[in-house]
Amino acid sequence: MKNPFKEKGYMLPIASINNTYVDNQKVSDLFRLSLIKKSILDHKDELGLAEGEHQGALLERFNDLVQSDVPSIREKALEIATMYGQRLARILSNFFRPSELTKRNQKRWTEEHWAYWQSIEQIYLVGGITSPILTKIFFNEIKSHFKAKGLDKEVVFIAGSQNLGTKGLATLVEDGEYLLFDFGQTKIKRAHHIKDKGETKVDIILNTIDSKYLFYKEKDQEELVHIAENLHKYIVDVIKRTASEVAFEGNGIHLAIANYVNDGKLYPNRGGYAKLSTIANHYESFLSDEVSKELGRDIHVTLHHDTSAMALNFKEEQQIAVLSIGTAFGVAFPD
């Protein structure tokens, strides 16, 4: 079946599920990590969280609360976790059994789009949910919901998938030395990869770096261009620092980014990295030239849609979808 969500191998923005609907509710209003964290903080007193304790790894702390030996804390934590598990189950089942109300609200998708989703046999869920108990609760809710709906589809959670993007990009390296990046909305993942005649010689995961300059809402065009220039300089600086860190001598860089990429061009209407299109129509070429100047030799940077980079790990499989759960949902369908 032809994939209506892709063009010449590139994911199209119409594939985005953050603005899709479940009946009258937008997916982005039902489930995302920031909503889960907000629910935890809204009930921090009931959950026994001390003032300031919520800073840092909140989901990891929540994992402990779900199995607290204090019944009231355990019950409230379980209530929150179950609610979001049920929401995630509704979102996933909606792709296979959409209501007529969903279809009416989802105006941009045709029957071809719904038919393609219904041809999917397995969903891989990857990304920012690292809490093992939360993952288990979500899985059980999905399994129960799918059984009640009579859906014979597989859902698989991939644990420890923070570096799945750079790992996927490594599959594109056939020979030579490469830097691999996954520029997310919260963290930048980095790797150094060398192959010699197809055999991996160096495969190093480097420390993550904080993402910066991704704010864009309520900014006028002049401000956006200024922020975009700062973001671009930061990206070049991250690449330059990483090259120095590993004594990089290669000429190739694969860079995944939280944006739709089409033949080196960024989609201009989606999120924090989209504003880079205001400083260069073909950002891939522009970035390659800038990095070449900084490193003093010809460097070719190849841009990739971030979830598509993750999906490269599953490219031998058929009829699957890869959904990343980070700051927002990402989606990709391996070729």
Side-chain angles (χ1 to χ4, degrees):
M1 176 183 292
K2 182 180 180 294
N3 188 341
F5 295 107
K6 298 181 86 168
E7 180 181 73
K8 297 179 181 178
Y10 297 104
M11 290 294 298
L12 297 171
I14 197 172
S16 174
I17 62 176
N18 295 296
N19 292 321
T20 59
Y21 283 84
V22 178
D23 296 329
N24 269 331
Q25 293 178 288
K26 271 191 175 182
V27 164
S28 58
D29 293 331
L30 283 171
F31 189 100
R32 60 181 191 273
L33 291 187
S34 62
L35 286 178
I36 299 174
K37 291 177 180 178
K38 183 179 183 303
S39 293
I40 295 170
L41 295 179
D42 285 347
H43 297 278
K44 61 181 173 56
D45 292 338
E46 295 166 85
L47 293 170
L49 289 171
E51 195 65 38
E53 189 182 356
H54 58 268
Q55 300 300 323
L58 186 60
L59 290 183
E60 284 78 358
R61 179 72 180 94
F62 187 65
N63 189 76
D64 297 332
L65 300 177
V66 176
Q67 52 184 341
S68 171
D69 55 7
V70 180
S72 62
I73 292 177
R74 184 174 62 250
E75 288 167 12
K76 176 53 71 174
L78 188 58
E79 177 187 318
I80 294 170
T82 300
M83 177 181 71
Y84 282 101
Q86 291 171 346
R87 289 185 180 188
L88 182 57
R90 285 178 60 208
I91 291 166
L92 298 182
S93 69
N94 186 65
F95 295 127
F96 304 113
R97 296 273 177 83
S99 67
E100 288 304 315
L101 182 56
T102 293
K103 288 185 175 182
R104 284 200 298 272
N105 283 319
Q106 192 74 12
K107 295 181 177 67
R108 295 186 64 205
W109 286 15
T110 66
E111 287 300 326
E112 187 181 15
H113 294 96
W114 291 112
Y116 187 83
W117 254 110
Q118 286 155 32
S119 73
I120 295 297
E121 295 296 332
Q122 183 163 284
I123 297 175
Y124 284 102
L125 289 171
V126 301
I129 296 179
T130 56
S131 165
I133 293 181
L134 195 58
T135 299
K136 183 179 179 181
I137 291 170
F138 287 177
F139 176 76
N140 287 338
E141 290 299 326
I142 293 167
K143 186 177 179 181
S144 175
H145 187 78
F146 275 34
K147 184 176 181 180
K149 288 277 188 179
L151 289 172
D152 186 22
K153 307 287 185 179
E154 292 291 328
V155 177
V156 178
F157 280 90
I158 304 294
S161 55
Q162 180 186 30
N163 296 302
L164 208 59
T166 55
K167 184 180 176 183
L169 294 176
T171 68
L172 300 176
V173 177
E174 296 181 356
D175 198 61
E177 181 178 4
Y178 281 77
L179 293 181
L180 311 173
F181 295 92
D182 182 356
F183 278 75
Q185 297 186 64
T186 304
K187 295 287 184 180
I188 300 165
K189 282 73 72 177
R190 308 177 298 152
H192 181 214
H193 198 80
I194 300 176
K195 278 183 183 168
D196 183 14
K197 298 176 183 177
E199 185 178 347
T200 299
K201 298 297 184 180
V202 173
D203 185 21
I204 300 173
I205 301 296
L206 303 168
N207 293 336
T208 60
I209 296 176
D210 290 339
S211 302
K212 293 184 179 180
Y213 303 109
L214 297 186
F215 44 91
Y216 63 96
K217 293 182 179 178
E218 300 179 7
K219 305 295 180 185
D220 60 31
Q221 187 62 23
E222 186 177 346
E223 268 190 303
L224 277 179
V225 172
H226 177 67
I227 300 166
E229 289 171 347
N230 285 333
L231 173 58
H232 167 69
K233 290 175 184 176
Y234 184 61
I235 290 172
V236 173
D237 183 59
V238 167
I239 294 173
K240 185 179 177 182
R241 279 191 286 157
T242 305
S244 176
E245 190 176 332
V246 300
F248 178 60
E249 296 179 328
N251 302 93
I253 295 173
H254 286 293
L255 191 152
I257 194 165
N259 189 275
Y260 288 99
V261 178
N262 192 323
D263 193 26
K265 296 180 180 180
L266 298 176
Y267 180 58
N269 301 316
R270 181 182 182 267
Y273 289 103
K275 57 181 171 284
L276 292 167
S277 62
T278 65
I279 59 174
N281 178 48
H282 198 279
Y283 187 66
E284 182 177 275
S285 297
F286 184 72
L287 182 59
S288 295
D289 290 343
E290 295 284 293
V291 173
S292 296
K293 291 175 189 175
E294 289 294 329
L295 297 187
R297 62 183 186 277
D298 286 339
I299 301 291
H300 181 66
V301 180
T302 306
L303 296 183
H304 304 266
H305 169 235
D306 57 345
T307 311
S308 294
M310 293 182 177
L312 289 168
N313 294 282
F314 312 103
K315 59 187 176 183
E316 301 301 323
E317 301 184 43
Q318 296 181 348
Q319 293 176 284
I320 71 164
V322 177
L323 266 63
S324 60
I325 305 174
T327 305
F329 275 111
V331 61
F333 304 100
D335 289 323

